[in-house]
Amino acid sequence: LGGTLYADFGVKYGLYKYDGVKWQQIGNLDAEGMTGVGSDVYVDFGSAGVQRYAGGVLSPVDARNPEQLYGNGSVLYGDFGVGVGLERYDGVNWTSVSEMDAEGMTGVGADLYVDFGINGVQRYAGGVLSPLDSRDPERLYGNGSVLYADFGVGEGLWKYDGVNWASVSELDA
């Protein structure tokens, strides 16, 4: 993120950053996941919750344990699982995107594409969540202005350009 590498070395060592010259410890906790949002790094410390590393300071953001975090532009998305669902964090407040449990997500431009399993792929854009495809992908990938979805054996790899779906390969990616 911005020329700095962030790495989790596990329970014994914790979270570090590397600026190209030296390693510096950020925290003692074991990160379960992390993502960049702007110049900040958000870290999922499991049962210790979500924390933000900004300006050399690690500070608590949310005590809950997310299943996954995803940063897209200046927004953090957190999937808090069954019973809570997917939420959006603007740096101050969390707001609900969906009560469904996300299985995966990726950004394409400012839009967030979410794999809701048997509920298909949905796009979150401009504060609105809209169904995009009823199929259950194995994985979503964002690359530039294109969304790629691996729909598995029998369907293969597809791409979505913001308007149309097109088959890329019948092979399972």
mmCIF file of all heavy atoms in Angstrom, residues 133 135 137-143 146-160 165-173:
data_model
loop_
_atom_site.group_PDB
_atom_site.id
_atom_site.type_symbol
_atom_site.label_atom_id
_atom_site.label_comp_id
_atom_site.label_asym_id
_atom_site.label_seq_id
_atom_site.Cartn_x
_atom_site.Cartn_y
_atom_site.Cartn_z
ATOM 1 N N ASP A 133 -26.706 -11.609 -11.641
ATOM 2 C CA ASP A 133 -26.726 -12.943 -12.236
ATOM 3 C C ASP A 133 -27.157 -13.927 -11.165
ATOM 4 O O ASP A 133 -26.682 -13.867 -10.034
ATOM 5 C CB ASP A 133 -25.334 -13.307 -12.758
ATOM 6 C CG ASP A 133 -25.364 -14.489 -13.698
ATOM 7 O OD1 ASP A 133 -25.677 -15.611 -13.229
ATOM 8 O OD2 ASP A 133 -25.078 -14.313 -14.892
ATOM 9 N N ARG A 135 -26.612 -17.119 -11.092
ATOM 10 C CA ARG A 135 -25.682 -18.235 -10.889
ATOM 11 C C ARG A 135 -24.810 -18.019 -9.646
ATOM 12 O O ARG A 135 -24.568 -16.890 -9.240
ATOM 13 C CB ARG A 135 -24.799 -18.422 -12.123
ATOM 14 C CG ARG A 135 -25.583 -18.871 -13.355
ATOM 15 C CD ARG A 135 -24.716 -18.942 -14.576
ATOM 16 N NE ARG A 135 -24.360 -17.594 -15.041
ATOM 17 C CZ ARG A 135 -23.616 -17.347 -16.104
ATOM 18 N NH1 ARG A 135 -23.122 -18.335 -16.824
ATOM 19 N NH2 ARG A 135 -23.361 -16.104 -16.465
ATOM 20 N N PRO A 137 -21.249 -18.227 -8.327
ATOM 21 C CA PRO A 137 -19.867 -18.357 -8.790
ATOM 22 C C PRO A 137 -18.963 -19.012 -7.755
ATOM 23 O O PRO A 137 -19.228 -18.963 -6.555
ATOM 24 C CB PRO A 137 -19.441 -16.909 -9.019
ATOM 25 C CG PRO A 137 -20.247 -16.136 -8.039
ATOM 26 C CD PRO A 137 -21.572 -16.854 -7.957
ATOM 27 N N GLU A 138 -17.897 -19.631 -8.258
ATOM 28 C CA GLU A 138 -16.866 -20.149 -7.359
ATOM 29 C C GLU A 138 -15.956 -19.014 -6.910
ATOM 30 O O GLU A 138 -15.419 -19.039 -5.814
ATOM 31 C CB GLU A 138 -16.030 -21.220 -8.065
ATOM 32 C CG GLU A 138 -16.800 -22.487 -8.352
ATOM 33 C CD GLU A 138 -15.967 -23.537 -9.056
ATOM 34 O OE1 GLU A 138 -14.806 -23.263 -9.435
ATOM 35 O OE2 GLU A 138 -16.484 -24.651 -9.229
ATOM 36 N N ARG A 139 -15.801 -18.020 -7.787
ATOM 37 C CA ARG A 139 -14.909 -16.898 -7.488
ATOM 38 C C ARG A 139 -15.226 -15.720 -8.397
ATOM 39 O O ARG A 139 -15.609 -15.903 -9.551
ATOM 40 C CB ARG A 139 -13.464 -17.343 -7.694
ATOM 41 C CG ARG A 139 -12.440 -16.292 -7.522
ATOM 42 C CD ARG A 139 -11.704 -16.449 -6.232
ATOM 43 N NE ARG A 139 -10.601 -15.493 -6.271
ATOM 44 C CZ ARG A 139 -10.213 -14.819 -5.252
ATOM 45 N NH1 ARG A 139 -10.759 -15.013 -4.096
ATOM 46 N NH2 ARG A 139 -9.237 -13.964 -5.332
ATOM 47 N N LEU A 140 -15.046 -14.502 -7.864
ATOM 48 C CA LEU A 140 -15.175 -13.271 -8.642
ATOM 49 C C LEU A 140 -13.810 -12.587 -8.696
ATOM 50 O O LEU A 140 -13.061 -12.608 -7.714
ATOM 51 C CB LEU A 140 -16.169 -12.306 -7.988
ATOM 52 C CG LEU A 140 -17.614 -12.756 -7.867
ATOM 53 C CD1 LEU A 140 -18.417 -11.721 -7.085
ATOM 54 C CD2 LEU A 140 -18.225 -12.981 -9.240
ATOM 55 N N TYR A 141 -13.509 -11.961 -9.839
ATOM 56 C CA TYR A 141 -12.256 -11.233 -10.022
ATOM 57 C C TYR A 141 -12.572 -9.906 -10.703
ATOM 58 O O TYR A 141 -13.282 -9.890 -11.703
ATOM 59 C CB TYR A 141 -11.292 -11.980 -10.959
ATOM 60 C CG TYR A 141 -11.088 -13.440 -10.665
ATOM 61 C CD1 TYR A 141 -11.954 -14.404 -11.176
ATOM 62 C CD2 TYR A 141 -9.999 -13.864 -9.907
ATOM 63 C CE1 TYR A 141 -11.754 -15.753 -10.929
ATOM 64 C CE2 TYR A 141 -9.802 -15.215 -9.658
ATOM 65 C CZ TYR A 141 -10.678 -16.146 -10.171
ATOM 66 O OH TYR A 141 -10.477 -17.476 -9.919
ATOM 67 N N GLY A 142 -12.018 -8.824 -10.194
ATOM 68 C CA GLY A 142 -12.152 -7.539 -10.863
ATOM 69 C C GLY A 142 -10.831 -7.184 -11.517
ATOM 70 O O GLY A 142 -9.775 -7.321 -10.908
ATOM 71 N N ASN A 143 -10.877 -6.739 -12.778
ATOM 72 C CA ASN A 143 -9.665 -6.344 -13.487
ATOM 73 C C ASN A 143 -10.004 -5.147 -14.372
ATOM 74 O O ASN A 143 -10.697 -5.305 -15.371
ATOM 75 C CB ASN A 143 -9.114 -7.504 -14.314
ATOM 76 C CG ASN A 143 -7.767 -7.186 -14.915
ATOM 77 O OD1 ASN A 143 -7.171 -6.156 -14.634
ATOM 78 N ND2 ASN A 143 -7.283 -8.081 -15.758
ATOM 79 N N VAL A 146 -13.602 -4.597 -15.943
ATOM 80 C CA VAL A 146 -14.278 -5.860 -16.238
ATOM 81 C C VAL A 146 -14.360 -6.749 -15.002
ATOM 82 O O VAL A 146 -13.392 -6.879 -14.244
ATOM 83 C CB VAL A 146 -13.546 -6.611 -17.382
ATOM 84 C CG1 VAL A 146 -14.212 -7.939 -17.669
ATOM 85 C CG2 VAL A 146 -13.496 -5.754 -18.640
ATOM 86 N N LEU A 147 -15.525 -7.360 -14.819
ATOM 87 C CA LEU A 147 -15.729 -8.363 -13.779
ATOM 88 C C LEU A 147 -15.590 -9.740 -14.420
ATOM 89 O O LEU A 147 -16.177 -9.989 -15.479
ATOM 90 C CB LEU A 147 -17.133 -8.235 -13.176
ATOM 91 C CG LEU A 147 -17.561 -9.364 -12.236
ATOM 92 C CD1 LEU A 147 -16.769 -9.311 -10.944
ATOM 93 C CD2 LEU A 147 -19.053 -9.277 -11.960
ATOM 94 N N TYR A 148 -14.818 -10.612 -13.801
ATOM 95 C CA TYR A 148 -14.716 -12.000 -14.248
ATOM 96 C C TYR A 148 -15.346 -12.876 -13.175
ATOM 97 O O TYR A 148 -15.161 -12.648 -11.985
ATOM 98 C CB TYR A 148 -13.253 -12.408 -14.451
ATOM 99 C CG TYR A 148 -12.618 -11.713 -15.629
ATOM 100 C CD1 TYR A 148 -11.986 -10.489 -15.474
ATOM 101 C CD2 TYR A 148 -12.677 -12.265 -16.898
ATOM 102 C CE1 TYR A 148 -11.415 -9.834 -16.556
ATOM 103 C CE2 TYR A 148 -12.111 -11.613 -17.988
ATOM 104 C CZ TYR A 148 -11.479 -10.403 -17.794
ATOM 105 O OH TYR A 148 -10.922 -9.761 -18.875
ATOM 106 N N ALA A 149 -16.099 -13.878 -13.608
ATOM 107 C CA ALA A 149 -16.750 -14.802 -12.689
ATOM 108 C C ALA A 149 -16.489 -16.227 -13.145
ATOM 109 O O ALA A 149 -16.738 -16.568 -14.302
ATOM 110 C CB ALA A 149 -18.251 -14.540 -12.632
ATOM 111 N N ASP A 150 -15.972 -17.026 -12.229
ATOM 112 C CA ASP A 150 -15.770 -18.447 -12.494
ATOM 113 C C ASP A 150 -17.007 -19.172 -11.981
ATOM 114 O O ASP A 150 -17.214 -19.254 -10.771
ATOM 115 C CB ASP A 150 -14.507 -18.935 -11.775
ATOM 116 C CG ASP A 150 -14.313 -20.435 -11.871
ATOM 117 O OD1 ASP A 150 -15.035 -21.080 -12.654
ATOM 118 O OD2 ASP A 150 -13.448 -20.955 -11.151
ATOM 119 N N PHE A 151 -17.826 -19.665 -12.914
ATOM 120 C CA PHE A 151 -19.057 -20.357 -12.542
ATOM 121 C C PHE A 151 -18.880 -21.873 -12.462
ATOM 122 O O PHE A 151 -19.846 -22.602 -12.306
ATOM 123 C CB PHE A 151 -20.194 -19.989 -13.490
ATOM 124 C CG PHE A 151 -20.674 -18.577 -13.316
ATOM 125 C CD1 PHE A 151 -20.428 -17.612 -14.285
ATOM 126 C CD2 PHE A 151 -21.363 -18.194 -12.177
ATOM 127 C CE1 PHE A 151 -20.873 -16.304 -14.127
ATOM 128 C CE2 PHE A 151 -21.818 -16.893 -12.005
ATOM 129 C CZ PHE A 151 -21.563 -15.943 -12.980
ATOM 130 N N GLY A 152 -17.622 -22.343 -12.548
ATOM 131 C CA GLY A 152 -17.335 -23.746 -12.310
ATOM 132 C C GLY A 152 -17.563 -24.668 -13.497
ATOM 133 O O GLY A 152 -17.824 -24.234 -14.619
ATOM 134 N N VAL A 153 -17.484 -25.957 -13.195
ATOM 135 C CA VAL A 153 -17.634 -26.998 -14.205
ATOM 136 C C VAL A 153 -19.001 -26.872 -14.882
ATOM 137 O O VAL A 153 -20.021 -26.689 -14.221
ATOM 138 C CB VAL A 153 -17.477 -28.403 -13.566
ATOM 139 C CG1 VAL A 153 -17.755 -29.499 -14.582
ATOM 140 C CG2 VAL A 153 -16.099 -28.556 -12.961
ATOM 141 N N GLY A 154 -19.001 -26.957 -16.201
ATOM 142 C CA GLY A 154 -20.242 -26.860 -16.957
ATOM 143 C C GLY A 154 -20.581 -25.441 -17.392
ATOM 144 O O GLY A 154 -21.381 -25.240 -18.298
ATOM 145 N N GLU A 155 -20.009 -24.447 -16.741
ATOM 146 C CA GLU A 155 -20.250 -23.045 -17.091
ATOM 147 C C GLU A 155 -18.957 -22.364 -17.519
ATOM 148 O O GLU A 155 -18.923 -21.642 -18.493
ATOM 149 C CB GLU A 155 -20.840 -22.280 -15.897
ATOM 150 C CG GLU A 155 -22.243 -22.686 -15.548
ATOM 151 C CD GLU A 155 -23.274 -22.075 -16.479
ATOM 152 O OE1 GLU A 155 -23.010 -21.048 -17.107
ATOM 153 O OE2 GLU A 155 -24.368 -22.647 -16.582
ATOM 154 N N GLY A 156 -17.890 -22.545 -16.708
ATOM 155 C CA GLY A 156 -16.598 -21.951 -17.024
ATOM 156 C C GLY A 156 -16.460 -20.505 -16.599
ATOM 157 O O GLY A 156 -17.176 -20.011 -15.730
ATOM 158 N N LEU A 157 -15.531 -19.823 -17.262
ATOM 159 C CA LEU A 157 -15.181 -18.446 -16.939
ATOM 160 C C LEU A 157 -15.951 -17.476 -17.830
ATOM 161 O O LEU A 157 -15.977 -17.626 -19.050
ATOM 162 C CB LEU A 157 -13.673 -18.235 -17.125
ATOM 163 C CG LEU A 157 -13.122 -16.860 -16.785
ATOM 164 C CD1 LEU A 157 -13.297 -16.557 -15.296
ATOM 165 C CD2 LEU A 157 -11.652 -16.780 -17.176
ATOM 166 N N TRP A 158 -16.577 -16.473 -17.205
ATOM 167 C CA TRP A 158 -17.348 -15.461 -17.914
ATOM 168 C C TRP A 158 -16.824 -14.076 -17.551
ATOM 169 O O TRP A 158 -16.227 -13.891 -16.487
ATOM 170 C CB TRP A 158 -18.818 -15.552 -17.525
ATOM 171 C CG TRP A 158 -19.519 -16.737 -18.113
ATOM 172 C CD1 TRP A 158 -19.340 -18.054 -17.768
ATOM 173 C CD2 TRP A 158 -20.483 -16.727 -19.152
ATOM 174 N NE1 TRP A 158 -20.143 -18.854 -18.529
ATOM 175 C CE2 TRP A 158 -20.869 -18.052 -19.388
ATOM 176 C CE3 TRP A 158 -21.077 -15.723 -19.890
ATOM 177 C CZ2 TRP A 158 -21.807 -18.407 -20.340
ATOM 178 C CZ3 TRP A 158 -22.027 -16.069 -20.851
ATOM 179 C CH2 TRP A 158 -22.377 -17.396 -21.066
ATOM 180 N N LYS A 159 -17.079 -13.086 -18.430
ATOM 181 C CA LYS A 159 -16.734 -11.705 -18.114
ATOM 182 C C LYS A 159 -17.963 -10.823 -18.287
ATOM 183 O O LYS A 159 -18.841 -11.098 -19.110
ATOM 184 C CB LYS A 159 -15.577 -11.207 -18.976
ATOM 185 C CG LYS A 159 -15.890 -11.000 -20.437
ATOM 186 C CD LYS A 159 -14.667 -10.458 -21.162
ATOM 187 C CE LYS A 159 -14.988 -10.193 -22.626
ATOM 188 N NZ LYS A 159 -13.837 -9.605 -23.320
ATOM 189 N N TYR A 160 -18.005 -9.770 -17.475
ATOM 190 C CA TYR A 160 -19.114 -8.820 -17.505
ATOM 191 C C TYR A 160 -18.523 -7.428 -17.687
ATOM 192 O O TYR A 160 -17.693 -6.983 -16.887
ATOM 193 C CB TYR A 160 -19.904 -8.904 -16.198
ATOM 194 C CG TYR A 160 -21.065 -7.954 -16.112
ATOM 195 C CD1 TYR A 160 -22.216 -8.160 -16.860
ATOM 196 C CD2 TYR A 160 -21.013 -6.849 -15.277
ATOM 197 C CE1 TYR A 160 -23.293 -7.284 -16.781
ATOM 198 C CE2 TYR A 160 -22.086 -5.977 -15.186
ATOM 199 C CZ TYR A 160 -23.219 -6.196 -15.936
ATOM 200 O OH TYR A 160 -24.276 -5.331 -15.858
ATOM 201 N N TRP A 165 -22.832 -10.042 -20.329
ATOM 202 C CA TRP A 165 -22.004 -11.184 -19.968
ATOM 203 C C TRP A 165 -21.531 -11.845 -21.264
ATOM 204 O O TRP A 165 -22.292 -11.944 -22.219
ATOM 205 C CB TRP A 165 -22.801 -12.219 -19.178
ATOM 206 C CG TRP A 165 -23.035 -11.861 -17.743
ATOM 207 C CD1 TRP A 165 -24.174 -11.351 -17.210
ATOM 208 C CD2 TRP A 165 -22.116 -12.010 -16.663
ATOM 209 N NE1 TRP A 165 -24.025 -11.168 -15.869
ATOM 210 C CE2 TRP A 165 -22.770 -11.562 -15.497
ATOM 211 C CE3 TRP A 165 -20.810 -12.475 -16.555
ATOM 212 C CZ2 TRP A 165 -22.159 -11.571 -14.241
ATOM 213 C CZ3 TRP A 165 -20.200 -12.475 -15.308
ATOM 214 C CH2 TRP A 165 -20.868 -12.032 -14.175
ATOM 215 N N ALA A 166 -20.288 -12.342 -21.262
ATOM 216 C CA ALA A 166 -19.750 -13.089 -22.399
ATOM 217 C C ALA A 166 -18.877 -14.217 -21.876
ATOM 218 O O ALA A 166 -18.108 -14.035 -20.928
ATOM 219 C CB ALA A 166 -18.929 -12.171 -23.313
ATOM 220 N N SER A 167 -18.974 -15.371 -22.507
ATOM 221 C CA SER A 167 -18.158 -16.515 -22.120
ATOM 222 C C SER A 167 -16.711 -16.281 -22.551
ATOM 223 O O SER A 167 -16.448 -15.865 -23.680
ATOM 224 C CB SER A 167 -18.681 -17.790 -22.777
ATOM 225 O OG SER A 167 -17.844 -18.877 -22.469
ATOM 226 N N VAL A 168 -15.788 -16.543 -21.631
ATOM 227 C CA VAL A 168 -14.357 -16.439 -21.930
ATOM 228 C C VAL A 168 -13.809 -17.826 -22.234
ATOM 229 O O VAL A 168 -13.042 -18.007 -23.158
ATOM 230 C CB VAL A 168 -13.594 -15.815 -20.730
ATOM 231 C CG1 VAL A 168 -12.094 -15.861 -20.953
ATOM 232 C CG2 VAL A 168 -14.073 -14.399 -20.462
ATOM 233 N N SER A 169 -14.234 -18.793 -21.423
ATOM 234 C CA SER A 169 -13.778 -20.177 -21.606
ATOM 235 C C SER A 169 -14.781 -21.123 -20.950
ATOM 236 O O SER A 169 -15.340 -20.804 -19.900
ATOM 237 C CB SER A 169 -12.411 -20.369 -20.960
ATOM 238 O OG SER A 169 -12.042 -21.731 -20.947
ATOM 239 N N GLU A 170 -14.975 -22.277 -21.569
ATOM 240 C CA GLU A 170 -15.854 -23.281 -20.971
ATOM 241 C C GLU A 170 -15.159 -24.049 -19.860
ATOM 242 O O GLU A 170 -15.790 -24.797 -19.130
ATOM 243 C CB GLU A 170 -16.366 -24.229 -22.042
ATOM 244 C CG GLU A 170 -17.299 -23.549 -23.029
ATOM 245 C CD GLU A 170 -17.826 -24.499 -24.084
ATOM 246 O OE1 GLU A 170 -17.524 -25.712 -24.034
ATOM 247 O OE2 GLU A 170 -18.521 -24.005 -24.998
ATOM 248 N N LEU A 171 -13.843 -23.854 -19.743
ATOM 249 C CA LEU A 171 -13.073 -24.537 -18.701
ATOM 250 C C LEU A 171 -13.295 -23.903 -17.359
ATOM 251 O O LEU A 171 -13.483 -22.691 -17.237
ATOM 252 C CB LEU A 171 -11.575 -24.515 -19.057
ATOM 253 C CG LEU A 171 -11.182 -25.213 -20.360
ATOM 254 C CD1 LEU A 171 -9.707 -24.965 -20.634
ATOM 255 C CD2 LEU A 171 -11.500 -26.685 -20.274
ATOM 256 N N ASP A 172 -13.235 -24.702 -16.323
ATOM 257 C CA ASP A 172 -13.356 -24.222 -14.946
ATOM 258 C C ASP A 172 -12.047 -23.538 -14.578
ATOM 259 O O ASP A 172 -10.984 -24.154 -14.624
ATOM 260 C CB ASP A 172 -13.636 -25.415 -14.015
ATOM 261 C CG ASP A 172 -13.867 -25.015 -12.594
ATOM 262 O OD1 ASP A 172 -14.053 -23.818 -12.315
ATOM 263 O OD2 ASP A 172 -13.873 -25.911 -11.727
ATOM 264 N N ALA A 173 -12.098 -22.259 -14.268
ATOM 265 C CA ALA A 173 -10.869 -21.495 -13.962
ATOM 266 C C ALA A 173 -10.281 -21.875 -12.618
ATOM 267 O O ALA A 173 -10.941 -22.205 -11.698
ATOM 268 C CB ALA A 173 -11.171 -20.003 -13.983
#
